Amino acid sequence: SLGLLYTQAVGLHPLTTLKVKQWAKASRGRLPVEREAGEEQGGERFVLWEDMEGDAEQEARVRWPSLKKPERAIEKLVRTYGGKVCLLRDLVRHSLVFDKAAELVQCVEAIVGDKDVRIVEAKNRLRQDYDAWKTAGYRDVHLNLLLTSPLAEKLGINTHVFELQLQLVPFAERKSAGGHKRYVHFRNALCL
């Protein structure tokens, strides 16, 4: 049921946040942060996790994603999954941003080597032959993951799939500078 999925998501979110921090540290991953008072406004700002780690004031500026809103989850269930709740894999979602493709690859390697995680699905939308029209020009490496740690198993959340988007800075900047809003319009137009 959708209610059970949300209950699992509430327990899973803080554990996946810890994992994202570990992977960011292992690969020079960046996270979106709130701008400081007086700082020039503009597009999204992404800061290396290693530059913030251990500084409570800096860590508090990270813009961690919230759970997917129930309205959007229901819309997705109806439009895309024919009401099959088991196919909804992004109530818990995170993203990491990288300056270089080599850092993104390093993150994928860290995830592959993580004994507490299993990759369920991977989409490499950075491939040269990827048809970016499908995503309105947006590109990333999109992973669906399971947290399989003993704690996740004990909490009964080891079967809940979560999403991780690995992005390069130029795509992340476009997504946050109104790009996601344009994508939503594009997606909705396709559903008409």
Side-chain angles (χ1 to χ4, degrees), residues 72 87 96 103 131 171 184:
R72 174 62 185 130
L87 298 177
L96 282 171
E103 294 166 345
D131 181 4
F171 291 105
V184 169

Side-chain angles (χ1 to χ4, degrees), residues 78-169:
V78 171
R79 279 188 180 173
T80 310
Y81 300 133
K84 296 179 183 168
V85 175
C86 64
L87 298 177
L88 193 57
R89 297 175 160 192
D90 63 348
L91 293 186
V92 176
R93 62 256 166 102
H94 293 279
S95 61
L96 282 171
V97 179
F98 302 91
D99 287 323
K100 301 174 186 172
E103 294 166 345
L104 189 149
V105 169
Q106 200 173 8
C107 185
V108 171
E109 290 170 348
I111 293 166
V112 168
D114 191 324
K115 65 179 179 45
D116 291 333
V117 175
R118 185 167 65 93
I119 298 173
V120 175
E121 182 179 29
K123 295 178 190 174
N124 182 356
R125 295 188 280 221
L126 292 173
R127 290 186 341 263
Q128 214 167 10
D129 64 340
Y130 176 73
D131 181 4
W133 188 87
K134 296 175 185 176
T135 52
Y138 175 73
R139 292 174 173 258
D140 66 2
V141 172
H142 178 270
L143 302 173
N144 288 130
L145 305 164
L146 286 172
L147 186 62
T148 58
S149 67
L151 179 57
E153 190 172 333
K154 185 176 183 178
L155 294 173
I157 55 177
N158 59 316
T159 60
H160 186 109
V161 178
F162 69 99
E163 175 183 284
L164 178 62
Q165 294 177 5
L166 306 177
Q167 308 162 326
L168 294 174
V169 168

Side-chain angles (χ1 to χ4, degrees), residues 44-60:
E44 189 84 67
R45 183 158 177 251
F46 303 101
V47 177
L48 287 168
W49 173 247
E50 63 190 43
D51 290 347
M52 294 184 286
E53 185 180 28
D55 181 335
E57 187 176 312
Q58 292 297 318
E59 286 185 25

Side-chain angles (χ1 to χ4, degrees), residues 2-18:
L2 189 56
L4 177 59
L5 205 61
Y6 268 98
T7 299
Q8 291 176 336
V10 168
L12 184 64
H13 192 266
L15 299 180
T16 58
T17 299
L18 291 174

